[in-house]
Amino acid sequence: MDLRSVAPAPPDAILGLTEAFKKDPRPEKINLGVGVFMDDAGRTPVLATVKQAEEDLQREETTKSYLPIAGLPAYGERVAELVFGPGHEVVRSGRVRMAQSPGGTGALRIGAEFLRKFLPSSKAWLSAPTWPNHKGVFAAAGFGAADYPYYDPSSRGLAFGKMAEMLDGAPENDVVVLHVCCHNPTGVDLSADQWREVAAIAARRRWIPFFDFAYQGFGAGLEADRAGLLPFLETGLPVLVAASFSKNFGLYNERTGALALVASDPGEAAAWLTHVQALVRVLYSNPPAHGAAIVARILADPSERAAWEGEVDAMRGRIVSVRDALVQGLRARGVPVDFSFIRRQRGMFSFSGLTDAQVAFLREKKAIYMVGGGRINVAGITPRNLDYLCDSVAEVLRAVP
Ligand code: PMP
């Protein structure tokens, strides 16, 4: 091997799509590929509460000196409360420790590196399908991957029986990655009863749940969305949570996330954190401050926090109403498919059921961009493009059955 003969790496499927979209000169183009929230005007705005916090920080900031390796302590405290709920036992007892991270991806990676260090022969179980970067992150940390069944195309819902059966066979100390809410890419989540059943399986089989919590507030609400992970906290098992504030604070490019380590007692959690700190030290030394300072500030101020919760509710409200409008728009065009399942899915993503050939037709003939497999970001639908989108989907269902 010689550096001069290095071939280009394959493009990232989702980010590559955005590049192609940007270059597309057709004015009617629609981007349903990228995973960012968009408002009615198709913009990804800075939240008003975030702007306010930035102005305050700009005025009051006195130093750019390094943060501790595990990040701003006040951020860790507020985030633990947001993720687990105010006054939750894991927080009161001190058996959770937090490490601020560069986005949810950073939290997944440092969590995966930590697990890998002590469990070198464990596998990481990922839902089929999942966010493609899960595969990359766990492979980069040295994990062999396995899939557990998740989505059932025939019912367009959860393959719960198969999922539970597979997870009941996962060995002790393997790592099972679970999406707390707003599953990416399908939009299909577990019910409260199903979560309790999976927690009981974990307790019996003693595998390690690693939760990806990237969409808190986008499913049913900030509080309701954490329900899935709560039963796992009672099992006494190690639990990891990778939280991201890219979506619910709109802090995409500020790389703001956190890894929560839940142990069975405070001493164990503290010991784990020292290893995560050692990993962070050699990866990026310490985290960036800006996004975390914003989040800590908003969460600490009751009126700003209430205003932010209102902004999250509004984003979720828009997603729900867009899902409705899409289902109605397609029904009004008499399409031969019942798309009402789009209403049942939660979060920004929806498995539309469109085939790869239909996805290609929409991109080439209609300038409508979606990810292969038919995942759409419903937040990319606006009052301005809804009719064109519905007309185009109705057409592709006829032209490419
Ligand atoms: N997990 C899932 C399921 C996601 O969809 C995303 C963002 N697309 C992330 C994690 C990572 O988010 P971040 O940008 O905060 O790294």
Side-chain angles (χ1 to χ4, degrees), residues 102-106 108 131 134 179 184 212 214-215 244 246-247 255 349:
T105 308
L108 288 166
W131 180 47
H134 279 156
H179 301 228
N184 180 0
D212 186 343
Y215 296 95
S244 163
S246 300
K247 316 290 156 40
R255 312 309 300 134
F349 300 115

Side-chain angles (χ1 to χ4, degrees), residues 161-187:
K162 288 186 183 150
M163 171 181 174
E165 194 185 326
M166 186 67 109
L167 293 182
D168 213 0
E172 181 169 353
N173 283 331
D174 268 13
V175 176
V176 177
V177 180
L178 298 157
H179 301 228
V180 186
C181 67
C182 307
H183 184 268
N184 180 0
T186 65

Side-chain angles (χ1 to χ4, degrees), residues 32 34-38 182-187 214-215 218-219 247 252 315 319 322-323 345-351 375-381:
L32 303 179
V34 64
V36 300
F37 177 82
M38 283 170 262
C182 307
H183 184 268
N184 180 0
T186 65
Y215 296 95
F218 275 37
K247 316 290 156 40
Y252 305 91
M315 288 192 276
I319 290 167
V322 164
R323 287 185 179 278
Q345 300 165 337
R346 300 198 312 167
M348 293 201 302
F349 300 115
S350 178
F351 246 20
R375 182 194 89 168
I376 60 171
N377 174 7
V378 295
I381 303 172

